[in-house]
Amino acid sequence: MDSYSQDHFALQNFSAFVKDKTVVLKWTMKPGNTCFGIGVYRSEDKQTFDEIGIIGGVCGSPDQAVNFTFVDSFPIKNRPNYYRLVLGLLGESQILKITYYDWENTQSITIPNPADIYTSRIIFKNDDEKEAVLFIYDALGRYIYKSGFEKTNDFSLTDFFRNDRYRGIYYFEIKNKELKTISNGSFVY
C-alpha cells in the first residue's frame, strides 16, 4: 500500500511505501525552493510528532527539482504511521499516513482487537491477493460464519456482526480456493 500527498507549495510530490521491514519516504522539492534543513517527523496518533531524522544543510535548488529519500527503519508495527516534513522556514508538509504490517510472527492481524461492530477487520498475508474465504467459529469450535470468496487480503467483520453476537472469544480460519488454510487466529468481542 502506497500513500501520497503533495499539497505543500514547495513540494512536487511526497509519498511513502513499505519496503521489507521499513517505510520509505520519498519527496521532490520544486525548482526555485530552498530551505535550511528538513526534519522528518512521525506520529502514532496524528497529534504528537517526534523527530525521527534530519537532513542537514541547504535543501532544494533555485533551478532544478531535487529528490530526497528517507528510510524509517523502525516504523510502528500494525498501526498507522503518520509522517510530516518540516522544510526549514518553508513550514510543514501535509501529513502522510501509511500502515506497516509485521508478518514476521503472524500471518494475520485483527484490527482493532478487541473487535468492534463498525470498523473491525482481519488483515492477512496474501501478497498476490488470490481468492480467499473467511470462516469464523465460536469458543466451542462451532462453525458460525462464512464469507464469500474474495480476491483480497483484508476481510471486514461488519457482515459477521450484523447478526447479534455474544461477547467472547472467536476463532477464524482463512482458506484459499482449494480450502487449504492460509491463516488462522482469534479475536475478542
Side-chain angles (χ1 to χ4, degrees), residues 131-133 173-183:
E131 285 192 25
V133 63
E173 273 187 301
I174 299 168
K175 296 185 177 192
N176 65 15
K177 201 170 184 178
E178 293 77 35
L179 297 179
K180 180 181 175 193
T181 300
I182 297 171
S183 180

Side-chain angles (χ1 to χ4, degrees), residues 37-49:
I38 298 175
V40 181
Y41 291 79
R42 182 185 64 211
S43 173
E44 292 184 53
D45 61 8
K46 204 175 176 183
Q47 304 295 317
T48 306
F49 283 83

Side-chain angles (χ1 to χ4, degrees), residues 1-66:
M1 174 200 314
D2 294 346
S3 185
Y4 302 95
S5 176
Q6 61 184 47
D7 65 344
H8 190 279
F9 70 90
L11 294 179
Q12 190 169 311
N13 59 55
F14 179 29
S15 64
F17 60 93
V18 173
K19 173 86 170 134
D20 299 323
K21 297 179 182 182
T22 68
V23 171
V24 179
L25 303 176
K26 297 183 98 165
W27 66 94
T28 303
M29 288 189 66
K30 293 178 182 175
N33 291 283
T34 60
C35 63
F36 191 74
I38 298 175
V40 181
Y41 291 79
R42 182 185 64 211
S43 173
E44 292 184 53
D45 61 8
K46 204 175 176 183
Q47 304 295 317
T48 306
F49 283 83
D50 297 314
E51 185 175 76
I52 60 169
I54 190 160
I55 298 172
V58 176
C59 299
S61 167
D63 21 291
Q64 62 186 8
V66 179

